[in-house]
Amino acid sequence: MTERTEGAAAPEETRDGERPVTAAVLVIGDEILSGRTKERNIGFIAGYLCNLGIDLKEARIVPDDHQEIVDALNALRRRHDYVFTTGGIGPTHDDITADAVAAAFGVSIDVDERAVNEMLKRLKPAELTPARLRMARIPAGAELVLNEVSGAPGFWIGNVITMAGVPSIMQSMMDYVAPRLRGGRRMLSVTIQADCREGDVVEGFAGVQKAFPDVLMGSYPFVDAGGFNTRLVLRCRDAARLEEAKQAVEAMLAALPPGVRRTQPA
């Protein structure tokens, strides 16, 4: 289940020759784009994948439109090891994700007895209305993605993992698929509070980045009780290299002109 889809682009190698495992998230739903429902899944998936050593590289939100879903899915699944979709697998007429995934892979879709059996663990046969049976429609060749919250499963076909949009159900589905995902070395990070404005540190910080091109660096301004401040975040899979970069940033901050920083390190 974890093999790269044929035609997918291989991710760029790291300095030590290791290929990072990459992923994308495709959020589906008019209610997200209208603002009626607040998106809560991307952040959870990003953090979950980070702990598995999988880099989330893209996140898209598309409406409940068949061709929009197909086009986005085909673009993402060719670029990444995994694509996680959320939303659009419920019982209503606008829940069209399963059909779009089947179309993207060029396979048929029908009610799957495995999915029906999972739903019957929670429902009586008389409760399996035509609407509820829509949630048992699975693309041909897909494996089920179960969860402990509801009886209706998601599914996994190729490198695409299709999950519910309800956060609690989606999170349970992530727990189900996690042991089956191929991870990599976990990305490590360190945060340094600059105690100065972003504009005061940008030139020196750029110099450190140039000296450590293999370490991802970002500056993030914020406001605290003392006014404008900046957090400098460093990310790298190599712990020793990350420590070297951290020390270089701290030395750069210590060398700033007097008065620039609110508090100078002891």
Side-chain angles (χ1 to χ4, degrees), residues 160-173:
V160 175
I161 299 162
T162 298
M163 305 183 293
V166 177
S168 61
I169 302 176
M170 181 278 298
Q171 291 170 18
S172 182
M173 288 180 173

Side-chain angles (χ1 to χ4, degrees), residues 6-251:
E6 183 178 353
E12 184 178 349
E13 288 188 1
T14 56
R15 283 185 56 169
D16 58 7
E18 178 185 358
R19 291 189 181 278
V21 182
T22 68
V25 172
L26 181 62
V27 177
I28 300 161
D30 291 338
E31 69 279 8
I32 301 294
L33 291 170
S34 70
R36 182 178 180 85
T37 300
K38 306 304 179 186
E39 207 294 313
R40 294 168 51 195
N41 292 330
I42 295 175
F44 177 88
I45 295 172
Y48 203 113
L49 295 180
C50 182
N51 288 333
L52 297 176
I54 300 173
D55 294 346
L56 181 62
K57 290 294 189 180
E58 291 189 69
R60 296 191 190 185
I61 303 175
V62 296
D64 294 310
D65 179 277
H66 179 88
Q67 197 59 48
E68 292 260 10
I69 300 170
V70 171
D71 291 345
L73 191 58
N74 281 333
L76 294 172
R77 71 188 182 95
R78 292 189 175 103
R79 283 206 291 268
H80 302 290
D81 294 281
Y82 299 108
V83 179
F84 298 85
T85 80
T86 69
I89 59 172
T92 63
H93 71 280
D94 58 346
D95 287 313
I96 60 173
T97 298
D99 295 271
V101 174
F105 280 90
V107 300
S108 61
I109 182 170
D110 205 345
V111 173
D112 190 306
E113 287 302 315
R114 299 172 301 168
V116 171
N117 291 335
E118 288 298 325
M119 295 175 69
L120 285 175
K121 293 177 181 179
R122 296 172 180 267
L123 298 172
K124 298 176 181 178
E127 295 176 312
L128 276 180
T129 62
R132 288 196 173 104
L133 278 174
R134 282 180 54 81
M135 296 188 290
R137 298 172 69 249
I138 305 294
E143 299 189 37
L144 299 187
V145 173
L146 308 182
N147 70 86
E148 296 182 355
V149 178
S150 73
F155 55 87
W156 184 337
I157 180 170
N159 61 344
V160 175
I161 299 162
T162 298
M163 305 183 293
V166 177
S168 61
I169 302 176
M170 181 278 298
Q171 291 170 18
S172 182
M173 288 180 173
M174 284 295 297
D175 288 339
Y176 180 83
V177 301
R180 300 162 175 81
L181 297 173
R182 177 173 62 86
R185 274 199 297 165
R186 183 176 176 182
M187 183 70 77
L188 306 174
S189 69
V190 63
T191 299
I192 303 167
Q193 185 161 304
D195 285 323
C196 63
R197 296 171 297 180
E198 187 178 37
D200 295 324
V201 76
V202 63
E203 186 174 343
F205 195 43
V208 178
Q209 175 69 92
K210 187 176 180 180
F212 293 86
D214 52 323
V215 179
L216 300 174
M217 300 187 186
S219 63
Y220 304 93
F222 68 101
V223 178
D224 59 16
F228 290 103
N229 206 334
T230 312
R231 292 188 181 96
L232 306 177
V233 179
L234 315 182
R235 301 173 67 232
C236 184
R237 286 186 165 85
D238 186 321
R241 188 67 170 165
L242 182 63
E243 179 60 28
E244 291 176 8
K246 174 178 177 288
Q247 293 178 11
V249 170
E250 291 172 341

